[in-house]
Structures are given as structure tokens and as C-alpha cells.
Amino acid sequence: MWSRNMLPKAAGDSRALLIQLARLGDLVQSLPAIEAVRDRYPNRPLDLLCSAPLAPVFEKARAINRLVPWNGAQWRAWADEWSRNPTATLRSMETYLCALGEAGYDRVYNLNQHARGTLMTQLFSTDSIDTDGAKRADQEVSPWAQYLRKVAKERGDNRVHLADAWCGMCGVKPRGRAPILDPQKADLPEDLAAIGERQGLWVALVTGAGDQARCVHPDVWASWIREFLAHIDDGQVVLIGSGHEREAGQAILEATPTLLQGRVWDTIGRTTLCQLMTLLGRCPWVIGADTGPLHLATAVGSRAVGFYFARARVHETGPYGEGHWVYQYDTQAQPDSWPIKESIGLISGRARRAAPGWSLWNSRLDRWGVFFDDESASQATDQQRAAVWQALSPTLAESVAA
Amino acid sequence: MSHFTVNVMRLAARYPELAASLKAARGEVLTIESARNGSPSALRAGRWIHSSYDPLREAETWADSQAPACHAGEIIVIAGIGLLYHVEALRKKLCPDIAVAVLIPNMDEFHDVLSARLLGPWSEHILWLTGTPHDIAQTLTAAGQPLRCLSYTPASQADVDFHSDFEQALRRGIARQAGGQLTIALVGPIYGGSLPIVGYVKRALETLGHRVQWIDHSLHAASYEMMGTLKDVRNRQLMQSRMAEVLSQWTLATLAESPPDLVLSLAQAPLTLPVLEHLRKKKFLTAMWFVENYRHLTYWQQMAPGYEYWFVFQQGLCLDAFRQAGARHVSYLPMAADPELHRPMSLSEEERRTFGADVSFVGAGYANRRRLFPALLRHPWSFKLWGNEWDGAGDLRSVLQLNGARIDTATCMKVFNATCINLNLHSSTGTGLDPQADFVNPRTFELAACGAFQLVDHRSQLPDFFTDQEMVSFRTFDEVPGLVQRWLGDPAARQAMATAARTRVLDTHTYVHRMRDLLAQIGLSQPDRVGALLRGDRQQEALLSRCTDDPSLESLLKEFPAGQRVELKDVAAKIRSKGTTTTLKREELMVLMLDEYRSETRDLL
């Protein structure tokens, strides 16, 4: 059996690993923390462990030394196999872990607050191991983890964005600027190659959402498209979604007048992640609910308009960066009206206004990271964020203030 | 040299006796004809047993469909010889650590095969199984390896009796060897005739050493009955079906709490088809023992594809009907008795007076009983009628006990024990004996288990369970008064017959026997899952024996007592119980990680 002694860390090398096993949206929103850690420790290679299917997102991320793709499906198969052959299963797992990296890590940043993340922290740490990871966890990190748990549970008036809270968890201050991923240069299917290459106002429309409660109904999107194409002569809409959203895409297309269909590009279920990044990089605007592709689009340079409703909250998971817009529904109920004309006015630059039942927020960046402003922003918001940082990371807060 | 000579020489090296038998065989069972592609194909009794176009391609397709299910360490037993194209194709697809065995029910047919085709070196890696079905089954079970039975139907159906006997012998052999412990969720009905059987099944499974979780829906019977009082039929049906849906979801939620190895339902269990399909997607193994006459209760037609395994107490047409309705596996499993409950009793004189009679019948007032039983009145011997639903039974009211109240099992046992001759007439909606007498009711076994003498209407299956020295049956009701007269006058003969019947039940017809058969059948079909559990592959000692070269894992497993089944979740719980301050080994962390993924796959709701 493999033992830790057989895989010593290379002498003199200090290495770090950041663990983020969440879905696409959270993975992309980890980028500010990744870049902030890299800025803080420029000489220490930082590896990223993430879900294997999502690894291509960060293939060209400069802040990341090496990607460690985690194959959850394989672990599920081993869980089934264990009783049949425990020894062989453990060996396979060891082989797998060895193949992921040559050494343990001096520092592991775990952004996942679940048992799996804690166990991974222990498996990849060179430090001593205990059952809850408490000994390993930095005193600086734990208060942030507790804070996030509290926010998730109580949903109070929190103004610290999740991406910045992750900076805090990693013991680094936010950089105060948005991270940018190089859009992948993936070849697109021939019929999609013209997207973004022709002149026009290109908008990527994210049709679905991982959480059913956050899905905008296809009828709403169809109305949005009709309105947008009717008012913006050179408007072009690119439908974005996974294979699961094909039916919704079809419904949207069917509800779009035939004359306008030539300006709607259906890419749903037809792209790899790299191709999706290429597509999003070619659209100056993206619109959608709080979803992975919306955040991915902001990371490759698009400006976002988000429809935030159900449990989605702009201050916690709004699009990261400067100049994005979010319509936040006033209650947690499903909206009965949508800011269609208002969001089109925003994208076309003709008008900037909220909608009945919806407040409008604009993203800005400062020393504490991103925040959202509805033009009534007072000093109190800034003070509230500063107070959280001072309470949870006093040393960092002092350096930010300085 | 002929193909036959070369093939037999090749066989003789490993199977000299088989080679000798082949030389003595006549052949002439198969008619060999060329297929369109030029390969030899064959007919048996006028029916093609291989494709008349391209038997090789057909065999490849068959092997492709079977190979993925075969696992290392298993013996694959193939029923149906054909011209062995399919055996050759499968052998070539499987890795060497999977053994392939072929049943040979008919030496003449095998003679024809060896004459028609020259077998290649692959045939040296086949186990040829000859002898009686019982002998072959014994040899295979003695090998102690997981067995997976496959059937090449076009060729196997000509020897259906041989294969059926073999499968039964194999099932019994595996059942005898079973030593492992399963966790079984038992899903019972809200009410009805199958409700007491749930209790018998539970006791039997526990007697066999399995852990049983009874999901008891009878707790909701009062609410269900209350809904039955609604006068509007549509409202009543709507409410009752909604309740059944809720109970189905309740079952799902209960299963999610502690996922079992097998979900075993009894007839009328409130599990809906969508829930069963969901369970299947989540890899739960489900089985239903349909302890009802399939002609009377027909909801199985909609439910057939839902359960992975069906067990029914009727044979022949019933099995075909279930298969046609989409049942993937359907097997015969007759009724039985529970000797814990169905047993001889010492009764007081008072009890004998109250519950006893020369002739008694216990049961509901079905049409045929109402029509036939008046013939038992006005005889010199006493006759008592027990049970409910006898309203408007005319003359029979004079012998009806307890005003036709429903009687409980304890009273029923007293009647059985106190009566000289218990009448057992299978129910029918007609006016005479059940014209489709293709099953034996539980009452037959229960009376026998009590050591009570009975007269039962003849059933086609009855000789399979009891001999003429153990049970007296009648083919027309006219025989009954004469039989009563005769047997009342011979208490010693009655006693001898009743004792013999009881012995027979204890030997072969208890719920323990049935559950052993049921599990063996599933184990046979799933050698790597339930089969492995039954063989004891998950017991502590078996797991230990598989990790002798891994001291760290060995020390983890040694923390469990020998004889205990150990699952991943048990090992993980043991590790977690060390507390949060203990330094864990790497292997322990990996086990905890695996357990996290295990629990995710069971996220049912």
C-alpha cells in the first residue's frame, strides 16, 4: 500500500492547492480568490482541484500552475466496488491519487464546506491529519467559513460577495479588479462560425439554470427576443444552454416569428465548454438568470444583465466585475412580470431604469471587492463590508485600509 | 478424418467418459442445413435453432448482449447447445478468468453438433456439463464460485424440462449454501389477505439470518377505510388513489433512510409504477410476491415492468401472462405455512366444545361455498361454519358461528385443532368447484402444519406438495359426505395422515423454505450482487480473506466481529467514531471519501 513517505514533497518547493468542486458558476466565481492568492504568493505554484468535466474552463488561466481534475464518477464506481474487492479498490484509489500529483501540498485552500472538501484537504495536505480538519484549517479561514454558513442559513443583509468571502477564506484580500480568462480559441461548428464576427449587437441568452427554481420560462425569453429584435435593427441573439435545455430552446424558437428567426442562433447542446467560452467571448452582452454560463461570460469579458429571483441574491452571487447589471426581484416568490423592455433599454444604451417589482443594481469594484449599487448607495454599505472584514480578518482589513 | 472424430479426440483428453458416450450416441436429433452465408445451420423438430441467413452474426449479437454482465471469477452456465456458435462467440469475448460451461441435456444432439462443425481451440476452454440436472447442479454449487446462468432460447426450449429441473436444483443448492446476511425492506399492503403473510415472511427471513425492515402500511388502514365511506365513487377512488401515492412516496422516503439490498413487496403493496421506476434508476433491487390469483386481481398487468422480480403461485399460463405484460423475471413460488403460528395446540375441554366439530369450514362466503355447503347439513355429524360475508346464506345460518364475524388467526388455529375434519374448499365465483384449479391456497399448508386433518378440493399442483398418504382430496363435491363418513369413523387413520402432512410441511413447505428459494432465485440471477451477499462475501471473515496482503485494511476489518456483515458505511462509521481529534491514516481518509460518494448515490428524494 502506498504511504505518504513514498511521495515526499520536493525539497525547497512550497506548493499550494485550491479545492473547488462546485458547479460552473461557483467555479468561475473562485477566480478572484485564485488570482488574489497568486498575487499574494507569486513564487508559490498554485494548483486547482476541480470537477474533471469543468477543468477546460481554466486550461489557459495564467494564475493556475496545474489543473487537478477530480473524477467524481470514478469515485462513485469505487464506492459500489469496494465491498466486492476492498483491496483492489483501495489500490485503484491510491493509484488515482498518485497520478493526480507528485507531492502533498504545504497549503490547501478548501472552498467547499462539505465533508468531501474537508477530506480532500486532509488527503492532499502534508501536515498532520485529523478527522475534522480543524487542526489543519487556518485560524484565519474558519471565521469566514462560519460567516458563509450563517449567511446561507439566515440570509441577512450581507453585502460581502461570495467571491470576496472566498478571498477571505484563503487569507488574502480582494484585488479590486475583475479577473479575465482568455477566451478559448476553439473551432466552432461551421454554421455557428459567423457568431460575433458580423456587425451587430450580439447578445448571448442563457436559457436555463442548474436549479429549476431559477429557470426563466421559455415564453418569457421568447417575448424578450421578439421585443429585442423588433427594436434593435442589428440585434442578434445567441441561445446558450446544455443538452437538457434543447426542448426549452425549441419552444423559444417556435414562439419567435419566422422573419426574426434568422437573427436567432441556436447553440443549445451543441458546444463543448471551450466552444462555449469562444461563443461567449464573441458576444459583448450576456443575459440570463444566476447561472454558470452567465458568470463564465463575465470572466471572458462580456457584460452581464442578470435576472435574479427565487433564492438568487445580487449581493452574494451577482456577476463579478465592473459594469454588470442585475434586476433583483423583490421577493423570493416566482416573478409574475419581467423587466423585458427595461433590460433591452439597458443593453441598447437608451434607458436605465428599474421595473415594477424589480430593483436594478450596477456592479462596482473597490478595495473590498465587488459591490452592487442601486444609486442610493450610502457610506453605510461600505462600512458594513469593512466591518465584516475587520471582524473576520483583522490583519487583512488593516492592510486594506492602509 | 470426419469433424466428429477430430472433435471427439479433442474432447477425450479432458473428458474421456464424455467422449465414450458420444461414440455410443446415435445422433439424428438435428437437421443440418446450409445457411445463406454458407455456414452450417440447424433445425430441431422442424424449427430453426440458428439463423438460416447468418448464424455467426446472430451468435455475435447474442454474445455482445450477454458479455457485459459477466464478471471475473464467475462461471457462466449456458443452456442451449445449438451448433455452439453462440458459445464460441461468448468464449472469445470473455477474459480467461471467467469460466464458460455448457449444459448437455441430450447426447444425441451433441453428437450431431460435433458432426456438423469442426470446433476450434476455444472449445478446450469450455466446461461440458453432463449427467442429471441434480448432479450437474451439485457439481456447480460445490465449486463455490459465483454462477451466472444464460439461456440461448432457440436451442434451449426443446429441453425445457431438463433446464427447469436444473435451475430448480441449482436454486436449492445455492439456498442450502447461503450463509450471508441481507438487509431486506418488506413492503406490505394497507389491508387484505396478504397482510398476515407479511408477518410470516418477515419471521422466515429473520430465521434465515437476514435483517428485515417492515414498512407497515396497515397502520394507515383506518384512514383508507374512512375514505371508503365516501358515497361519491369518483371522489372515493380519487382519495384512495392519492393516499396510495402518498404511501408510495412514504415507502421511498423510508427506503432512503436505510437503503436495503432488496425491496420485497407482497401483493397489494402501495408502490406505484413511477416510484418503482425511480427505484430501478437508483439501482434498488425490487421483488414482488404476488400471493393472489392472477385471474381475479389484475393490476399486475400495469405493474409488471415495475418490479425486477415477480414471484407467483401459479404456473404455466400465469408465467406467460406476466412475461407478456413486461415482467423481466417471473418465477413460481407456491404458498406455505408458518410453523411458529400454524401448529398443533393443546386445547381445554371448553375450547374443544366451543371451537370443535366433526366438520368445520373457516372462510368467507363465496358463491360456490354458499351453493355447495347446504349439502353438508342434516347429517348425523356436526358441521360448523366460521368466517364473514355469509349474509343471506339461508340454511347455513344455522351452523354459522359468532354471527358471521371475521375471526382472527388465533381463533382460526383453535378451530383447526379442535375439528375432526377440516373442509378446505378453494373459493370461486361460480357455483361449483373452482374450474381453474391451478394453485393451492395457504389454508392447505396451514391446516397441514397444525397437524389437522383436511379434505381439500383437488388442485392440479396438489400432487407436487403432498402424496395420497398425506392429503385427501375430492374431485366433485358429491364425494364429500361419503369421505366425511369414512374418515370420521377412522380417527387413527386421520391422525396418521395429518401427522404425515405436518411432517411434509415442516420438511419442505414453510415460509422459510419459500424465502430461501426466493432469495436463491434472485441470487442466481444476480451472482455479483444478491448472490455475493448470500454466499457471505460481505461477512467480516470473507472480506478479511480478500485483503491478507493489506495490513492497514486488515486492521480496519478486524475491528468487527467474525460473522458480521461489514459494509463500507460500517467501516466509515467505525472510523468516524474515533472522534475528531484522532489522527487518521490515509486509508481511513479514503474510506471516508468513498462513503461520501456511496451516500450520494442513494439520494432518493
Side-chain angles (χ1 to χ4, degrees):
Chain A
M1 182 58 71
W2 184 90
S3 76
R4 183 174 303 284
N5 296 337
M6 292 164 69
L7 293 175
K9 65 174 180 137
D13 285 351
S14 174
R15 294 154 50 85
L17 176 72
L18 188 138
I19 297 170
Q20 177 52 287
L21 286 168
R23 291 195 289 195
L24 180 60
D26 282 357
L27 181 61
V28 173
Q29 298 244 27
S30 307
L31 198 52
I34 291 167
E35 294 203 337
V37 169
R38 187 57 200 257
D39 274 6
R40 174 70 181 81
Y41 305 103
N43 297 320
R44 189 175 65 185
L46 175 66
D47 294 353
L48 170 68
L49 185 148
C50 65
S51 169
L54 300 179
V57 170
F58 287 137
E59 223 155 63
K60 292 196 174 169
R62 283 186 294 269
I64 295 164
N65 173 61
R66 196 172 66 90
L67 281 167
V68 182
W70 185 260
N71 189 344
Q74 179 61 69
W75 282 81
R76 274 177 217 108
W78 281 326
D80 286 342
E81 183 62 29
W82 187 84
S83 296
R84 219 169 284 148
N85 200 337
T87 310
T89 309
L90 276 182
R91 279 198 188 124
S92 301
M93 287 151 58
E94 276 294 356
T95 309
Y96 175 84
L97 289 174
C98 289
L100 290 181
E102 293 173 1
Y105 291 90
D106 304 288
R107 180 70 188 257
V108 178
Y109 303 103
N110 170 27
L111 301 191
N112 301 127
Q113 297 200 47
H114 50 55
R116 240 173 264 173
T118 308
L119 287 166
M120 271 176 208
T121 307
Q122 296 172 54
L123 277 167
F124 285 99
S125 293
T126 49
D127 277 8
S128 60
I129 295 163
D130 54 50
T131 40
D132 68 353
K135 205 191 292 182
R136 174 68 199 92
D138 296 287
Q139 277 73 34
E140 231 172 356
V141 173
S142 289
W144 278 102
Q146 284 166 18
Y147 178 74
L148 286 178
R149 273 182 207 145
K150 189 165 173 277
V151 167
K153 196 175 165 191
E154 295 171 7
R155 305 194 68 93
D157 185 26
N158 167 54
R159 290 299 177 104
V160 179
H161 194 276
L162 179 66
D164 297 321
W166 279 335
C167 290
M169 277 178 83
C170 295
V172 292
K173 57 186 183 185
R175 294 162 78 223
R177 61 178 187 272
I180 288 291
L181 277 175
D182 283 339
Q184 301 281 311
K185 295 287 180 278
D187 290 335
L188 295 174
E190 203 173 326
D191 58 321
L192 304 181
I195 289 175
E197 300 288 301
R198 290 189 202 156
Q199 274 228 303
L201 181 53
W202 288 85
V203 178
L205 187 150
V206 185
T207 51
D211 178 1
Q212 196 62 30
R214 291 187 197 180
C215 277
V216 178
H217 195 275
D219 290 347
V220 175
W221 285 135
S223 302
W224 193 93
I225 291 168
R226 278 199 304 272
E227 192 75 20
F228 176 73
L229 296 180
H231 288 88
I232 312 291
D233 292 341
D234 64 346
Q236 304 275 347
V237 178
V238 181
L239 300 182
I240 302 289
S242 71
H244 300 293
E245 280 125 24
R246 279 204 184 94
E247 213 171 299
Q250 198 56 38
I252 292 170
L253 277 175
E254 280 170 12
T256 305
T258 317
L259 279 174
L260 299 178
Q261 281 184 5
R263 289 155 66 196
V264 181
W265 304 71
D266 183 8
T267 74
I268 296 174
R270 297 184 59 203
T271 54
T272 63
L273 255 183
C274 293
Q275 288 173 325
L276 176 62
M277 290 172 77
T278 303
L279 274 178
L280 293 170
R282 291 186 185 183
C283 296
W285 284 93
V286 60
I287 186 164
D290 181 11
T291 64
L294 186 90
H295 297 298
L296 187 60
T298 63
V300 295
S302 304
R303 288 180 72 189
V305 176
F307 289 176
Y308 276 46
F309 55 99
R311 286 180 63 82
R313 302 219 310 178
V314 57
H315 301 297
E316 286 155 20
T317 58
Y320 201 92
E322 199 133 24
H324 303 301
W325 296 92
V326 171
Y327 285 95
Q328 172 78 59
Y329 195 58
D330 291 347
T331 70
Q332 281 195 42
Q334 279 293 308
D336 49 13
S337 65
W338 298 83
I340 293 176
K341 285 185 178 157
E342 293 81 358
S343 55
I344 292 168
L346 204 59
I347 289 173
S348 64
R350 290 174 187 165
R352 179 187 302 176
R353 63 169 191 270
W358 298 79
S359 52
L360 177 62
W361 299 84
N362 184 218
S363 68
R364 292 167 59 189
L365 281 161
D366 68 4
R367 57 191 175 149
W368 304 114
V370 76
F371 68 101
F372 288 82
D373 176 13
D374 64 352
E375 293 183 347
S376 67
S378 63
Q379 223 180 343
T381 306
D382 184 58
Q383 282 171 354
Q384 196 223 38
R385 291 192 297 144
V388 173
W389 278 90
Q390 273 150 12
L392 302 179
S393 299
T395 318
L396 278 176
E398 273 173 32
S399 75
V400 172
Chain B
M1 279 198 288
S2 67
H3 287 347
F4 180 78
T5 311
V6 175
N7 286 331
V8 169
M9 279 172 62
R10 195 189 278 273
L11 271 176
R14 284 194 308 141
Y15 294 91
E17 287 178 19
L18 173 59
S21 302
L22 280 164
K23 283 175 190 166
R26 278 188 17 218
E28 297 176 10
V29 171
L30 301 179
T31 307
I32 308 298
E33 293 207 2
S34 269
R36 291 271 178 87
N37 72 342
S39 313
S41 190
L43 295 95
R44 183 167 173 182
R47 296 177 68 169
W48 288 99
I49 57 170
H50 281 297
S51 165
S52 59
Y53 290 87
D54 189 346
L56 294 168
R57 194 165 167 187
E58 177 195 46
E60 283 292 323
T61 307
W62 181 85
D64 280 340
S65 67
Q66 306 292 343
C70 304
H71 295 108
E74 291 179 351
I75 301 176
I76 312 301
V77 184
I78 301 176
I81 302 179
L83 290 183
L84 295 173
Y85 288 121
H86 56 296
V87 176
E88 179 180 358
L90 185 66
R91 176 64 279 176
K92 287 178 177 171
K93 282 187 199 305
L94 299 180
C95 56
D97 54 1
I98 303 177
V100 175
V102 177
L103 293 167
I104 304 174
N106 185 321
M107 207 56 76
D108 289 325
E109 182 189 19
F110 198 35
H111 179 283
D112 289 345
V113 176
L114 300 186
S115 305
R117 287 187 64 208
L118 192 58
L119 305 184
W122 61 267
S123 64
E124 289 170 13
H125 304 283
I126 301 292
L127 304 168
W128 304 103
L129 303 172
T130 56
T132 66
H134 182 265
D135 290 345
I136 297 172
Q138 206 165 29
T139 307
L140 285 171
T141 46
Q145 279 177 264
L147 302 170
R148 186 177 294 277
C149 294
L150 305 181
S151 177
Y152 179 67
T153 316
S156 67
Q157 60 194 7
D159 298 297
V160 67
D161 290 343
F162 179 93
H163 293 126
S164 167
D165 290 350
F166 166 72
E167 195 179 299
Q168 189 178 345
L170 197 58
R171 204 168 59 221
R172 294 274 153 83
I174 290 170
R176 272 195 300 275
Q177 283 185 337
Q181 186 188 47
L182 296 176
T183 53
I184 298 168
L186 196 55
V187 189
I190 303 171
Y191 69 100
S194 56
L195 183 56
I197 297 172
V198 183
Y200 311 150
V201 165
K202 179 174 185 285
R203 193 161 28 236
L205 290 169
E206 285 171 345
T207 303
L208 289 169
H210 305 298
R211 263 190 301 206
V212 183
Q213 181 196 11
W214 180 4
I215 301 175
D216 185 3
H217 292 303
S218 68
L219 302 171
H220 311 287
S223 304
Y224 194 83
E225 269 179 42
M226 184 62 83
M227 289 171 187
T229 62
L230 288 171
K231 290 191 182 81
D232 187 309
V233 178
R234 282 172 310 173
N235 286 346
R236 185 169 70 230
Q237 286 175 346
L238 181 74
M239 292 308 296
Q240 289 185 328
S241 80
R242 290 265 167 89
M243 183 167 178
E245 277 170 25
V246 168
L247 293 183
S248 197
Q249 289 290 333
W250 167 250
T251 306
L252 206 58
T254 312
L255 293 173
E257 296 274 297
S258 177
D261 301 309
L262 174 67
V263 181
L264 175 59
S265 297
L266 269 287
Q268 306 273 51
L271 272 174
T272 61
L273 190 59
V275 162
L276 286 167
E277 281 167 351
H278 185 60
L279 284 171
R280 184 173 158 77
K281 270 189 215 148
K282 290 287 180 179
K283 297 186 180 171
F284 277 74
L285 203 56
T286 56
M288 155 68 89
W289 191 10
F290 190 73
V291 289
E292 299 281 359
N293 184 344
Y294 83 108
R295 294 188 187 91
H296 292 171
L297 274 188
T298 55
Y299 72 92
W300 55 268
Q301 290 169 345
Q302 287 79 47
M303 302 292 289
Y307 285 97
E308 192 64 32
Y309 295 92
W310 283 89
F311 293 88
V312 293
F313 60 44
Q314 285 154 294
Q315 291 175 294
L317 292 174
C318 174
L319 298 175
D320 293 341
F322 272 77
R323 285 185 192 117
Q324 277 167 15
R328 282 179 288 277
H329 303 93
V330 52
S331 309
Y332 169 59
L333 190 71
M335 299 309 301
D338 178 355
E340 288 274 311
L341 207 68
H342 309 123
R343 58 188 168 79
M345 298 171 78
S346 297
L347 299 175
S348 66
E349 274 309 307
E350 174 65 23
E351 284 173 321
R352 287 202 169 275
R353 267 197 303 278
T354 306
F355 300 109
D358 291 328
V359 180
S360 291
F361 175 82
V362 181
Y366 277 85
N368 64 330
R369 293 167 181 165
R370 288 166 179 257
R371 174 78 177 75
L372 297 172
F373 285 174
L376 303 179
L377 301 173
R378 289 176 282 280
H379 284 282
W381 26 269
S382 60
F383 174 47
K384 284 184 181 173
L385 190 57
W386 303 80
N388 56 343
E389 296 177 27
W390 288 100
D391 294 345
D395 284 357
L396 290 173
R397 293 210 64 82
S398 64
V399 292
L400 186 62
Q401 309 297 303
L402 301 175
N403 285 324
R406 180 191 287 267
I407 63 166
D408 58 21
T409 306
T411 308
C412 192
M413 291 307 111
K414 286 179 184 169
V415 174
F416 288 174
N417 273 277
T419 297
C420 299
I421 296 176
N422 286 280
L423 194 57
N424 179 8
L425 180 68
H426 286 73
S427 62
S428 166
T429 50
T431 54
L433 299 190
D434 180 9
Q436 291 167 308
D438 59 356
F439 67 91
V440 171
N441 63 11
R443 181 63 45 85
T444 312
F445 300 101
E446 291 165 5
L447 280 163
C450 287
F453 180 83
Q454 66 179 301
L455 291 178
V456 58
D457 52 328
H458 190 77
R459 317 293 291 176
S460 59
Q461 291 176 1
L462 199 60
D464 297 338
F465 302 126
F466 299 99
T467 65
D468 290 345
Q469 280 72 51
E470 293 161 345
M471 189 79 59
V472 182
S473 66
F474 53 90
R475 288 171 189 270
T476 68
F477 201 76
D478 295 343
E479 297 171 44
V480 173
L483 285 169
V484 169
Q485 199 64 44
R486 179 193 153 193
W487 287 96
L488 268 182
D490 195 348
R494 270 197 338 256
Q495 181 62 48
M497 186 157 283
T499 303
R502 173 170 157 78
T503 305
R504 184 68 186 272
V505 168
L506 297 183
D507 284 350
T508 48
H509 302 314
T510 67
Y511 283 99
V512 169
H513 292 104
R514 300 299 185 248
M515 286 304 103
R516 205 179 264 158
D517 277 2
L518 178 145
L519 295 177
Q521 177 66 41
I522 297 173
L524 193 57
S525 171
Q526 304 236 340
D528 52 333
R529 200 168 158 187
V530 170
L533 295 171
L534 287 170
R535 284 193 306 274
D537 283 7
R538 306 276 175 90
Q539 307 299 106
Q540 183 254 17
E541 56 275 27
L543 286 170
L544 265 179
S545 71
R546 295 206 291 278
C547 63
T548 47
D549 56 345
D550 191 336
S552 55
L553 191 55
E554 206 174 0
S555 68
L556 268 179
L557 292 170
K558 276 187 173 162
E559 292 183 32
F560 295 90
Q564 182 181 321
R565 178 177 161 185
V566 182
E567 290 293 335
L568 180 57
K569 64 178 176 187
D570 303 317
V571 181
K574 185 76 90 178
I575 294 168
R576 287 193 188 100
S577 73
K578 291 181 178 181
T580 55
T581 52
T582 312
T583 300
L584 295 180
K585 294 177 196 150
R586 188 170 178 78
E587 293 74 21
E588 291 175 320
L589 286 169
M590 288 195 295
V591 168
L592 292 181
M593 181 71 86
L594 270 192
D595 192 53
E596 287 296 321
Y597 280 95
R598 175 200 61 79
S599 55
E600 182 194 74
T601 59
R602 295 298 195 181
D603 182 15
L604 264 189
L605 295 172

